[in-house]
């Protein structure tokens, strides 16, 4: 509530008052509405299960949409977003970065579900397939921040799911192998970043200038 109140004061005091108030209602306030709707509606375990199933289905559809858009159709199957030569995949999102932000959430979820124990054989296929599709979509979206988020999430989940095994029960050789595996993931991620940087250097320089200016403002 204090955060919402501060945003409201900021909107009222802004030079572009009406536009700020519109952004307050359409961008900030909508998340509070969504939060209270969820608090009121999601009250049982089956509700959470239903939401998770819908999330997995929509994730599959969007990832397949992005892959088809990039390799086959050259346009999104839902909104008809056309890709020109050299463009990155967007799926049904406005920009590749929006698609990457979505993948930052769904790819770690599919990875986490690889550790979920179930007797349903179809899930043994769906979760690995979703994880692989997510990595494929990440590659064609070429969003550095999304890659960074997914790599950090996966490393954290590996540590979390194997904490007891790593800290207490593992011999020194296994710990060394785990360190090597972690290094390989980080090295692969660094190579991906390097490849992206080679032909998107203008984007990097632009962000560097913004960060430098922002730090100078904070210092002032």
């Amino acid at each position: 509530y204090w955060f919402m109140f501060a945003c409201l004061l900021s909107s009222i005091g802004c030079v572009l008052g009406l536009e700020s108030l519109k952004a307050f209602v359409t961008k900030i306030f909508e998340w509070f509405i969504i939060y209270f709707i969820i608090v009121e509606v999601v009250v049982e375990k089956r509700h959470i299960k239903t939401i998770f199933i819908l999330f997995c289905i929509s994730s599959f559809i969007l990832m397949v949409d992005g892959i088809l858009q990039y390799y086959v159709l050259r346009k999104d199957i839902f909104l008809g977003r056309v890709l020109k030569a050299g463009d990155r995949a967007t799926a049904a999102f406005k920009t590749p970065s929006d698609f990457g932000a979505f993948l930052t959430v769904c790819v770690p979820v599919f990875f986490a579900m690889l550790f979920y124990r179930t007797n349903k054989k179809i899930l043994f296929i769906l979760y690995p397939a979703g994880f692989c599709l997510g990595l494929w979509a990440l590659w064609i979206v070429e969003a550095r921040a999304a890659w960074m988020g997914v790599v950090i999430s996966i490393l954290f989940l590996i540590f979390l799911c194997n904490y007891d095994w790593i800290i207490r029960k593992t011999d020194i050789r296994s710990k060394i192998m785990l360190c090597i595996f972690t290094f390989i993931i980080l090295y692969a991620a660094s190579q991906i970043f390097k490849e992206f940087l080679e032909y998107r250097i203008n984007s990097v320089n632009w962000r560097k200038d913004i960060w430098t200016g922002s730090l100078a403002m904070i210092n002032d």
Side-chain angles (χ1 to χ4, degrees), residues 55-65 102 106 110 125-131 133:
F55 171 78
C56 289
I57 292 173
S58 61
S59 298
F60 258 101
I61 293 173
L62 285 168
M63 289 186 294
V64 171
D65 179 28
F102 175 78
C106 68
F110 279 113
I125 300 174
L126 291 180
Y127 291 142
F131 179 61
L133 279 175

Side-chain angles (χ1 to χ4, degrees), residues 141-156:
V141 84
E142 298 177 11
R144 297 182 298 275
W147 270 105
M148 183 181 294
V150 169
V151 168
I152 292 173
S153 298
I154 288 175
L155 291 175
F156 176 73

Side-chain angles (χ1 to χ4, degrees), residues 60 63 110-111 113-115 121-135:
F60 258 101
M63 289 186 294
F110 279 113
F111 178 78
M113 295 311 295
L114 298 178
F115 298 91
K121 294 182 178 179
I122 189 171
L123 296 182
F124 285 106
I125 300 174
L126 291 180
Y127 291 142
F131 179 61
C132 292
L133 279 175
L135 293 179

Side-chain angles (χ1 to χ4, degrees), residues 52-84:
F52 181 74
I53 291 172
L54 291 174
F55 171 78
C56 289
I57 292 173
S58 61
S59 298
F60 258 101
I61 293 173
L62 285 168
M63 289 186 294
V64 171
D65 179 28
I67 292 170
L68 289 175
Q69 178 195 38
Y70 189 80
Y71 291 104
V72 182
L73 303 176
R74 301 303 297 173
K75 67 177 182 178
D76 160 53
I77 61 177
F78 294 104
L79 302 177
R81 299 188 186 280
V82 178
L83 288 189
K84 299 177 182 177

Side-chain angles (χ1 to χ4, degrees), residues 144-175:
R144 297 182 298 275
W147 270 105
M148 183 181 294
V150 169
V151 168
I152 292 173
S153 298
I154 288 175
L155 291 175
F156 176 73
L157 285 166
I158 289 173
F159 178 80
L160 193 65
C161 293
N162 298 279
Y163 173 80
D164 191 63
W165 179 77
I166 294 170
I167 301 301
R168 299 175 186 173
K169 299 180 181 179
T170 311
D171 57 34
I172 187 65
R173 286 182 298 178
S174 298
K175 289 181 179 179

